[in-house]
Amino acid sequence: DHNGNIEYVNPKFTQTYGYKLSELIGKKPTIIKSGKTDIEVYQNLWQTILAGNTWYGEFINKTRDGREIIEECSISPVFDNSGKIVNFVAVKEDITQRKKIEYQTLYHANHDELTGLANRRQFYDIINKELNTDKKLKYAVFYLDLDGFKEVNDTYGHEIGDSVLIETGKRLQELVRSSDLHSRLGGDEFTILI
């Protein structure tokens, strides 16, 4: 309704969120709020729909059992004959799977598959962005190449070599600050941007 109380939800909504219709009628949509959507999103939503316009955006909401759902949503005002807002209609689509795939694709494009560190592409993207953002900051770049790594692979096999690379990545994570960038460029080459 015009105060934001739920008057009706369709069966797909109750199926997705795990609530019965009777548990939702008269409640605010905050019943499904996860707390992970920025407050500015809600402020923009209300400002837009109270001005008589349709709002488009995304929410991270939660089901009755606590499972998170990412929704693409449009909320439109409904007017009476005099032009007064009497209701709002929300049309939602669960895009959780699509977002997971997008995140995984982006993650794999920017991270080394073996160590989970930033890869060469992300390292160069970040270093270029940092160097072009603030000319007053000073940076240090460290380049690490593991001596004798080829012999480890040749003598003990690639599985042991992979273990050495993974352990090197873990040790770098322990040694650098969270504000520093550490990456695996490839092979046995690592970099740190401080």
Side-chain angles (χ1 to χ4, degrees):
D1 66 15
H2 66 283
N3 293 317
N5 298 307
I6 297 171
E7 291 186 335
Y8 172 77
V9 295
N10 67 6
K12 182 65 177 174
F13 185 95
T14 57
Q15 177 189 353
T16 300
Y17 280 97
Y19 288 97
K20 295 177 186 169
L21 181 61
S22 60
E23 295 174 298
L24 296 167
I25 301 302
K27 298 279 193 314
K28 299 276 186 197
T30 55
I31 193 169
I32 59 170
K33 195 173 176 181
S34 69
K36 293 191 175 179
T37 301
D38 290 337
I39 190 81
E40 292 83 17
V41 171
Y42 296 106
Q43 290 169 344
N44 177 264
L45 178 161
W46 281 105
Q47 184 179 10
T48 301
I49 63 177
L50 290 174
N53 300 309
T54 299
W55 177 86
Y56 300 93
E58 293 180 5
F59 295 118
I60 301 172
N61 284 327
K62 68 176 179 358
T63 62
R64 183 180 192 148
D65 62 5
R67 186 173 45 89
E68 286 184 3
I69 291 180
I70 303 172
E71 294 179 328
E72 194 169 68
C73 182
S74 68
I75 302 176
S76 301
V78 178
F79 303 93
D80 66 12
N81 292 336
S82 68
K84 179 182 169 190
I85 296 173
V86 291
N87 292 93
F88 298 102
V89 175
V91 178
K92 300 168 170 248
E93 180 183 359
D94 181 351
I95 59 169
T96 308
Q97 278 307 110
R98 185 177 82 197
K99 285 293 188 176
K100 282 182 183 176
I101 291 168
E102 286 173 8
Y103 173 79
Q104 288 171 346
T105 301
L106 185 62
Y107 181 85
H108 289 300
N110 291 301
H111 290 82
D112 175 59
E113 202 168 312
L114 184 63
T115 63
L117 299 178
N119 63 13
R120 178 185 301 269
R121 176 183 168 194
Q122 186 179 28
F123 177 77
Y124 287 124
D125 285 349
I126 291 174
I127 199 168
N128 284 324
K129 181 181 145 212
E130 288 294 326
L131 293 176
N132 290 317
T133 301
D134 191 344
K135 306 282 186 196
K136 294 177 186 171
L137 287 177
K138 296 185 183 200
Y139 296 91
V141 177
F142 294 88
Y143 172 81
L144 283 91
D145 181 74
L146 302 181
D147 289 340
F149 183 72
K150 183 181 181 327
E151 289 77 22
V152 171
N153 272 338
D154 292 345
T155 305
Y156 301 105
H158 289 281
E159 190 174 314
I160 297 298
D162 287 351
S163 296
V164 169
L165 295 172
I166 292 167
E167 184 61 30
T168 302
K170 286 180 185 174
R171 289 185 184 194
L172 283 177
Q173 285 179 307
E174 292 169 3
L175 292 173
V176 299
R177 302 170 300 187
S178 61
S179 60
D180 300 330
L181 173 66
H182 44 294
S183 66
R184 178 176 174 226
L185 296 184
D188 63 348
E189 300 174 317
F190 295 84
T191 56
I192 301 170
L193 171 66
I194 295 176

